[in-house]
Amino acid sequence: GENVEQHPSTLSVQEGDSAVIKCTYSDSASNYFPWYKQELGKRPQLIIDIRSNVGEKKDQRIAVTLNKTAKHFSLHITETQPEDSAVYFCAASRDDYKLSFGAGTTVTVRA
Amino acid sequence: GAVVSQHPSWVICKSGTSVKIECRSLDFQATTMFWYRQFPKQSLMLMATSNEGSKATYEQGVEKDKFLINHASLTLSTLTVTSAHPEDSSFYICSASGGGASTDTQYFGPGTRLTVL
């Protein structure tokens, strides 16, 4: 099955700086890569996603890049704010729509 | 749009009892629903996939006789934890796809925290 690895496990950044989270996947058939933000005790919220026919996607302060050849994708958050503090999960799926999640990254934005 | 609800939000039960958790898509018809389990400070682990009107597909290592899934309609799926034991205590989250701009995007419910005494 699909194996998604995520790094780093924790990330502390100063408010206003950028945060980058990286994920790799093992199954070359994976074609959908969403990113979720989860606050403590709450549901995961989709923040951005990318499909295998696109190399980069941006939505305001959030961007995702995908390198299919290397089988890795990254989340970039610019101008971080305290409300960006949360656990972020990357995931990958194939045509069966089953999501395989990374282990998560705990992001702390220091004011 | 694409709102998923889950009930109850938390439940405490005695060992050996059964607990039913409901997952509903409120404003769209969910072609597929998924059930996940999340232990503290860990990632989401897919337990099973269900499509309306058909049997659920369970992931390897998940006991289908212990975790009964029913997907009776395009807006409702239920997970029943039978003969619950303390090791079943966890955060159970459902998701649904079929709404929103794409059919493969999963929208998550708020989760159910199960504590088995």
Side-chain angles (χ1 to χ4, degrees):
Chain A
E2 174 67 276
N3 180 42
V4 179
E5 294 192 356
Q6 184 171 347
H7 299 281
S9 57
T10 61
L11 180 60
S12 179
V13 296
Q14 190 68 37
E15 183 178 358
D17 288 349
S18 296
V20 180
I21 304 170
K22 299 182 179 182
C23 290
T24 61
Y25 60 98
S26 61
D27 189 345
S28 56
S30 290
N31 54 19
Y32 176 62
F33 307 92
W35 286 87
Y36 287 88
K37 175 184 180 183
Q38 186 180 31
E39 297 177 6
L40 189 63
K42 298 195 175 178
R43 77 183 82 198
Q45 299 263 19
L46 178 70
I47 56 172
I48 197 167
D49 57 10
I50 192 168
R51 288 177 171 76
S52 58
N53 59 346
V54 176
E56 184 174 356
K57 183 176 179 181
K58 189 174 181 180
D59 182 4
Q60 298 183 2
R61 298 186 295 110
I62 296 173
V64 58
T65 59
L66 171 65
N67 183 324
K68 284 194 301 180
T69 303
K71 294 206 282 278
H72 68 69
F73 55 114
S74 300
L75 178 72
H76 303 252
I77 306 174
T78 58
E79 301 172 23
T80 54
Q81 301 167 2
E83 52 264 38
D84 294 329
S85 296
V87 180
Y88 291 80
F89 292 99
C90 63
S93 74
R94 308 184 330 171
D95 290 337
D96 59 4
Y97 304 148
K98 292 182 181 181
L99 288 176
S100 295
F101 282 85
T105 298
T106 301
V107 174
T108 303
V109 180
R110 308 185 306 271
Chain B
V3 178
V4 177
S5 71
Q6 214 172 313
H7 179 79
S9 55
W10 59 271
V11 57
I12 301 173
C13 69
K14 293 182 178 180
S15 185
T17 61
S18 295
V19 174
K20 179 185 282 188
I21 302 169
E22 292 188 348
C23 177
R24 293 180 185 273
S25 56
L26 299 184
D27 54 0
F28 67 100
Q29 292 187 324
T31 50
T32 307
M33 287 186 169
F34 303 85
W35 287 95
Y36 295 84
R37 182 166 50 181
Q38 186 177 34
F39 291 108
K41 297 188 178 181
Q42 292 190 21
S43 189
L44 288 84
M45 296 300 296
L46 179 65
M47 298 175 65
T49 304
S50 73
N51 294 288
E52 183 262 342
S54 60
K55 289 184 178 180
T57 303
Y58 291 80
E59 295 300 300
Q60 192 171 9
V62 178
E63 300 175 59
K64 61 181 181 181
D65 294 331
K66 181 170 184 61
F67 299 100
L68 302 179
I69 292 171
N70 184 285
H71 195 157
S73 74
L74 284 172
T75 60
L76 173 63
S77 176
T78 61
L79 167 69
T80 300
V81 183
T82 62
S83 186
H85 291 285
E87 57 265 30
D88 297 323
S89 298
S90 187
F91 194 49
Y92 292 86
I93 311 177
C94 71
S95 72
S97 62
S102 62
T103 55
D104 53 1
T105 301
Q106 290 187 29
Y107 298 92
F108 284 83
T112 296
R113 187 160 302 284
L114 170 64
T115 301
V116 185
L117 302 177

